[in-house]
């Protein structure tokens, strides 16, 4: 019995985001949406769970995300489904299903589920902002996509962001590269970490992504994919880098950057917050996946996109002391000691006029209401007592020490407050 009534907690590796922290999320998503729209992206909302086969085929059976981290289960009807571990596969599935005209530019904000060991910056449920562009392999679109993320980080005020760029080549150049990499790893197999000593032949590129010191030491001198790119892939990479330079986006070439998902071809990139000391400092990443649409049953169609982890992004903001929580404060707190009907009506009128209005409930005393008004952060208290009702007025008391108390006609208090706010915003401009 006692156990049944014990308070429940959110599962380990998940988080509640409460106000006022959530105000940062609202601002973040709104600004991302604004920037995505300016660049021609439209919002796509797709299911949080899919046929598990989508992620196997899309992300790759051999990736950690699918092999070790997927929330996969049979539903009550016996269908094998999985919670989405990322956004790209679903967006591409939606593209194949609905065949919208290309180029198709989609943005999204979504929770993503990965069964990982929770630690700082690594959760079982995290949230991503992302974009995908389908239907063009123009390298300028790679530049546009990278720039959207880079300029978003700038807007947040982040200064310590490292951008690594690489090319995974196309199927042909990657084939040659993988053969050379395997030959090299064969010679060094005994030096690899336990996991990759066993598995490197199944997916040798994964070794490049391994963060364990043994594998890092081996891959330091491994062949580099950038030496194996054919003419077209090398030209693509050069055009992307020139575009980033032209837009003033600092970046460095990182030939070991392969990323953890198997769908990538050609351009890959990752943004890391150097202010974060933990290993989990990637605040966004993405790349091209020119074979993914086909792998999911669609016509040959190139694509590119990125995902930004919201939680990690906010950790990076905290580490740099930027983008502080700044929740919007109400314009007025209505104090009513005549029974509450005045507060009810006045709040409704103020809100209809687009003004933020809050109040106390449960018939609290004047003192308690004024205390609550102070705590609310509102700029003004609108006080209604028996005298005010008798005189058809409202007493307006500044709560942040600006100016004297005033008496304003009840009939014109909403217009008065609206005008007052306009003046205030102008002064703060
Ligand atoms: P990803 O690198 O796996 O890429 O994830 C994108 C971002 O999500 C990471 O850079 C990180 O900020 C955040 N993230 C990933 N896993 C976790 C976790 N367990 N806890 C907290 N944050 C996490 C993708 O998901 C691709 N879909 C990106 C993409 C889009 N590529 C092409 N289009």
């Amino acid at each position: 019995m006692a156990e049944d009534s014990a308070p429940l907690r959110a599962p380990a590796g998940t988080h509640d985001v409460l106000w006022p922290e959530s105000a940062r999320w609202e601002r973040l998503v709104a600004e991302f949406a604004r920037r995505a729209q300016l660049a021609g992206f439209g919002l796509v909302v797709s299911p949080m769970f899919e046929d598990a086969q989508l992620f196997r085929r899309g992300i790759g059976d051999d990736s950690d995300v699918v092999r070790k981290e997927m929330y996969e289960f049979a539903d009550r009807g016996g269908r094998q489904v999985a919670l989405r571990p990322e956004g790209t596969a679903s967006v591409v599935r939606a593209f194949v299903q609905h065949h919208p005209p290309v180029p198709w530019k989609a943005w999204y904000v979504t929770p993503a589920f990965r069964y990982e060991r929770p630690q700082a910056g690594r959760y079982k449920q995290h949230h991503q902002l992302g974009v995908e562009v389908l239907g063009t392999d123009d390298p300028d679109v790679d530049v546009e996509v990278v720039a959207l993320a880079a300029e978003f980080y700038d807007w947040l005020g982040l200064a310590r962001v490292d951008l690594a760029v690489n090319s995974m080549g196309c199927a042909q150049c990657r084939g040659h590269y993988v053969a050379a990499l395997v030959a090299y790893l064969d010679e060094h197999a005994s030096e690899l970490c336990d996991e990759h000593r066993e598995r490197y032949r199944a997916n040798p590129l994964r070794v490049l992504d391994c963060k364990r010191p043994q594998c890092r030491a081996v891959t330091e001198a491994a062949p580099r994919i950038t030496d194996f790119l054919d003419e077209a892939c090398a030209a693509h990479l050069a055009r992307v880098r020139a575009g980033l330079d032209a837009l003033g986006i600092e970046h460095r070439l990182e030939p070991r950057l392969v990323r953890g998902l198997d769908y990538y071809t050609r351009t890959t990139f990752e943004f890391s917050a150097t202010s974060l000391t933990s290993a989990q400092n990637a605040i966004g990443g993405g790349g091209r996946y020119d074979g993914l649409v086909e792998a999911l049953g669609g016509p040959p169609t190139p694509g590119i996109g990125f995902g930004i982890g919201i939680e990690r992004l906010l950790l990076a903001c905290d580490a740099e002391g930027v983008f502080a929580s700044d929740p919007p404060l109400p314009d007025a707190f209505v104090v009513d000691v005549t029974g509450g009907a005045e507060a009810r009506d006045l709040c409704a009128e103020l809100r209809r006029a687009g003004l933020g209005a809050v109040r106390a409930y449960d018939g609290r005393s004047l003192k308690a209401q004024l205390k609550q008004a102070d705590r609310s952060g509102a700029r003004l208290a609108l006080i209604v007592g028996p005298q005010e009702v008798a005189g058809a007025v409202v007493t307006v008391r500044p709560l942040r020490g600006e100016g004297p108390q005033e008496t304003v006609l009840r009939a014109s208090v909403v217009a008065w407050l609206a005008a007052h706010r306009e003046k205030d915003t102008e002064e703060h401009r």
Side-chain angles (χ1 to χ4, degrees), residues 59 65 69 85-89 108 112-114 116 119 121-132 153 259-261 263-264 269-271 280-289 303-313:
I59 300 172
V65 168
E69 298 166 3
E86 54 109 52
T88 309
Y108 51 88
F113 306 87
R114 296 183 187 182
E116 298 194 88
Q119 48 189 291
R122 173 173 288 172
Y123 312 110
K124 289 186 169 169
Q125 176 177 342
H126 70 279
H127 296 79
Q128 287 191 18
L129 290 165
V131 301
E132 312 294 346
Y153 298 130
R259 307 215 357 97
L261 312 156
Y263 48 59
Y264 291 114
F269 55 93
E270 197 154 84
F271 293 91
Q280 277 58 251
N281 68 353
I283 53 172
R288 222 167 230 298
Y289 42 82
I304 181 168
F306 66 68
I308 292 176
I310 296 183
E311 288 85 354
R312 275 194 212 166
L313 188 57

Side-chain angles (χ1 to χ4, degrees), residues 62-216:
D62 216 64
S63 62
D64 281 359
V65 168
V66 169
R67 210 160 54 86
K68 302 185 194 161
E69 298 166 3
M70 208 144 72
Y71 274 89
E72 185 180 352
F73 54 95
D75 72 6
R76 286 168 191 269
R79 298 170 199 91
Q80 197 63 16
V81 297
L83 301 184
R84 57 158 56 150
E86 54 109 52
T88 309
S90 301
V91 169
V92 172
R93 195 265 311 135
F95 172 82
V96 171
Q97 185 173 336
H98 303 285
H99 32 83
V102 295
W104 192 56
K105 298 173 96 177
W107 78 271
Y108 51 88
V109 51
T110 181
F113 306 87
R114 296 183 187 182
Y115 195 83
E116 298 194 88
R117 196 145 38 91
Q119 48 189 291
R122 173 173 288 172
Y123 312 110
K124 289 186 169 169
Q125 176 177 342
H126 70 279
H127 296 79
Q128 287 191 18
L129 290 165
V131 301
E132 312 294 346
V133 183
L134 285 145
T136 165
D137 64 1
D138 189 327
D140 285 359
V141 97
D142 306 31
V143 175
E144 201 176 284
V145 163
V146 174
L148 181 61
E151 288 173 12
F152 184 57
Y153 298 130
D154 272 353
W155 173 81
L156 288 163
L158 290 172
R160 299 179 56 193
V161 177
D162 169 76
L163 169 57
V165 174
N166 192 21
S167 172
M168 302 294 296
C170 60
Q172 279 85 29
C173 15
R174 202 164 52 245
H176 297 139
Y177 173 63
V178 167
L181 181 62
V182 170
Y184 173 85
L185 293 177
D186 279 342
E187 279 170 33
H188 295 86
S190 62
E191 301 154 47
L192 295 172
C193 76
D194 291 349
E195 181 186 347
H196 288 117
R197 203 177 318 126
E198 298 295 317
R199 294 188 50 81
Y200 75 91
R201 280 187 155 264
N203 192 339
L205 292 173
R206 287 278 75 78
V207 182
L208 298 178
D209 204 30
C210 180
K211 303 287 184 291
R212 295 189 193 99
Q214 301 98 302
C215 285
R216 299 298 292 173

Side-chain angles (χ1 to χ4, degrees), residues 223-277:
R224 298 171 162 233
I225 188 145
T226 37
D227 295 329
F228 288 78
L229 298 178
D230 63 21
E231 213 174 298
C233 289
H236 188 99
L237 178 61
R239 171 84 187 186
V240 172
R241 299 199 64 196
L244 294 176
D245 287 339
L247 298 190
I249 296 170
E250 272 181 45
H251 64 281
R252 64 187 173 82
L253 185 66
E254 173 50 74
R256 278 192 297 181
L257 176 70
V258 291
R259 307 215 357 97
L261 312 156
D262 285 349
Y263 48 59
Y264 291 114
T265 56
R266 290 195 165 174
T267 313
T268 51
F269 55 93
E270 197 154 84
F271 293 91
S272 307
T274 55
S275 56
L276 294 178
T277 46

Side-chain angles (χ1 to χ4, degrees), residues 37 51 81 292-293 342 392 401:
Q37 274 155 20
D51 186 327
V81 297
L292 182 55
V293 176
E342 269 300 313

